[in-house]
Amino acid sequence: MSEKLKEFAEIPQEFIHDGQQFLTRCTKPSQKEFVQICKAVAVGFAVMGFIGYFVKLIHIPINNILVGGA
């Protein structure tokens, strides 16, 4: 029974230790990296927006044909 308690207490300690290691390895991105990430996100937003727009553009006439313009 005490082994289970030790394992149960060990899990949060491992989590905290791993979290501290992760934070010490993290570095703040340089301005060049930050701009590159921002550009990639903007391109992703634009692509998803155009996909949504074209799906809606195709969906409206098909819906009108099926429903009959109700």
Side-chain angles (χ1 to χ4, degrees):
M1 186 70 162
S2 68
E3 290 179 16
K4 288 185 180 180
L5 289 176
K6 286 181 183 178
E7 285 182 25
F8 188 71
E10 189 175 297
I11 293 173
Q13 290 175 349
E14 283 184 31
F15 179 75
I16 291 171
H17 180 68
D18 291 343
Q20 287 175 342
Q21 281 184 335
F22 176 75
L23 288 177
T24 55
R25 288 184 184 183
C26 289
T27 58
K28 187 175 179 180
S30 67
Q31 185 175 1
K32 183 180 176 183
E33 289 174 328
F34 184 75
V35 169
Q36 186 178 10
I37 291 169
C38 289
K39 286 179 184 178
V41 170
V43 168
F45 270 102
V47 168
M48 292 303 289
F50 282 119
I51 290 172
Y53 176 74
F54 286 119
V55 166
K56 188 71 172 177
L57 193 66
I58 293 170
H59 181 264
I60 291 172
I62 292 173
N63 192 25
N64 285 339
I65 292 170
L66 295 175
V67 175

